[in-house]
C-alpha cells in the first residue's frame, strides 16, 4: 500500500525488551509503556487495546515489515498483545522471501536488534514536561529496524545471560595472549 496512506503513518522504534531470534521466529517488545523515546513521546498503557480488538474482529493482522517499507513484508506476527510492560510481539520471518532471509541472518548475527511500530495517533495529550502522551494508537505494522528510537529497552538473544558475551570475549583474549606468548 504505497503512497499517501503509508506516508502518513507515524513510527515509534523500540529495541524490544527481548528481541529473540530462534531460527526464523522473532519475539520481543515493540513498544514499552511509560518510557520517553528520542522524539519525547511516551506510549501509555492501553494505547493499543482498541486497535488490537478491531483488527481481531475484522480478521486482520498487524503487518511485519522490513525497515517500515510497505513494499517489503518479511513475515507474519502470530501474536501481538499488550501486557503490563508494553506491546509484545511474536512472529515468523519468512526465509522463502529474499528480504526475509537477509533479515533472519542479520537478526541472528546481532546486526539488527530493533523493533519499531507504524501507527496513526488517535488520541494524545501533552504533559507539563512537553512530552506527547500517546493514549490511543491505530497500529498498522511492526518492523524490524536498524536504529530504534526507544534506546532504553535492551535486546537479549535467546540463551544469552548477562555477561555471557563479555566472558566469551575475555576467554578469546586470554587464548590469543597465550598464543602470542608461545604457550
Amino acid at each position: 500500500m504505497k503512497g499517501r496512506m503509508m506516508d502518513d503513518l507515524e513510527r515509534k522504534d523500540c529495541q524490544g525488551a527481548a528481541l529473540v531470534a530462534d531460527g526464523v521466529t522473532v519475539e520481543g517488545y515493540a513498544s514499552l509503556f511509560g518510557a520517553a523515546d528520542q522524539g519525547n513521546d511516551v506510549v501509555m498503557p492501553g494505547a493499543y487495546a482498541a486497535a488490537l480488538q478491531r483488527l481481531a474482529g475484522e480478521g486482520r493482522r498487524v503487518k511485519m515489515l522490513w525497515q517500515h517499507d510497505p513494499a517489503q513484508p518479511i513475515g507474519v506476527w502470530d501474536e501481538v498483545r499488550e501486557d503490563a510492560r508494553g506491546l509484545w510481539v511474536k512472529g515468523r520471518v519468512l526465509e522463502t522471501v529474499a528480504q526475509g532471509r537477509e533479515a533472519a541472518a542479520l537478526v541472528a548475527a546481532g546486526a539488527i536488534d530493533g523493533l519499531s511500530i507504524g501507527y496513526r495517533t488517535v488520541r494524545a495529550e501533552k504533559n507539563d514536561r512537553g512530552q506527547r502522551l500517546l493514549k490511543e494508537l491505530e497500529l498498522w505494522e511492526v518492523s524490524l529496524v536498524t536504529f530504534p528510537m526507544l534506546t532504553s529497552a535492551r535486546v537479549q538473544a535467546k540463551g544469552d545471560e548477562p555477561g555471557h558475551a563479555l566472558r566469551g570475549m575475555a576467554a578469546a583474549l586470554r587464548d590469543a595472549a597465550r598464543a602470542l606468548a608461545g604457550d
Side-chain angles (χ1 to χ4, degrees):
M1 178 180 9
K2 216 129 162 111
R4 179 132 172 79
M5 288 271 287
M6 289 302 286
D7 292 341
D8 291 343
L9 285 183
E10 295 181 64
R11 294 172 177 97
K12 199 63 53 210
D13 303 324
C14 175
Q15 278 186 285
L19 176 60
V20 179
D22 181 11
V24 294
T25 300
V26 291
E27 64 184 70
Y29 282 91
S31 175
L32 296 171
F33 296 139
D37 67 13
Q38 293 179 58
N40 213 22
D41 286 343
V42 178
V43 178
M44 304 304 293
Y48 302 103
L52 295 175
Q53 185 175 16
R54 189 170 33 260
L55 286 169
E58 294 171 359
R60 295 187 303 129
R61 290 182 174 190
V62 173
K63 303 299 183 195
M64 180 190 291
L65 301 180
W66 178 246
Q67 307 281 356
H68 294 296
D69 186 345
Q72 293 191 60
I74 58 169
V76 293
W77 293 116
D78 296 314
E79 191 174 347
V80 179
R81 63 175 162 79
E82 273 191 340
D83 63 19
R85 193 166 184 198
L87 183 71
W88 186 84
V89 295
K90 181 178 182 179
R92 294 168 284 133
V93 176
L94 302 176
E95 292 185 305
T96 54
V97 176
Q99 190 61 58
R101 281 190 301 278
E102 185 176 325
L106 291 168
V107 169
I112 297 290
D113 59 6
L115 291 171
S116 177
I117 59 172
Y119 64 95
R120 288 196 204 304
T121 301
V122 175
R123 195 166 44 92
E125 63 185 46
K126 292 269 188 180
N127 66 12
D128 57 356
R129 293 182 301 214
Q131 295 172 318
R132 189 170 66 144
L133 305 178
L134 304 175
K135 296 188 169 220
E136 185 179 347
L137 301 175
E138 180 183 345
L139 183 63
W140 280 61
E141 56 94 4
V142 175
S143 286
L144 297 178
V145 296
T146 307
F147 297 109
M149 285 182 66
L150 187 58
T151 58
S152 64
R154 288 185 219 113
V155 175
Q156 193 172 24
K158 187 173 185 178
D160 281 358
E161 57 187 70
H164 177 73
L166 291 176
R167 284 192 298 276
M169 288 187 337
L173 286 172
R174 281 192 302 274
D175 292 344
R178 282 188 205 116
L180 286 173
D183 288 349

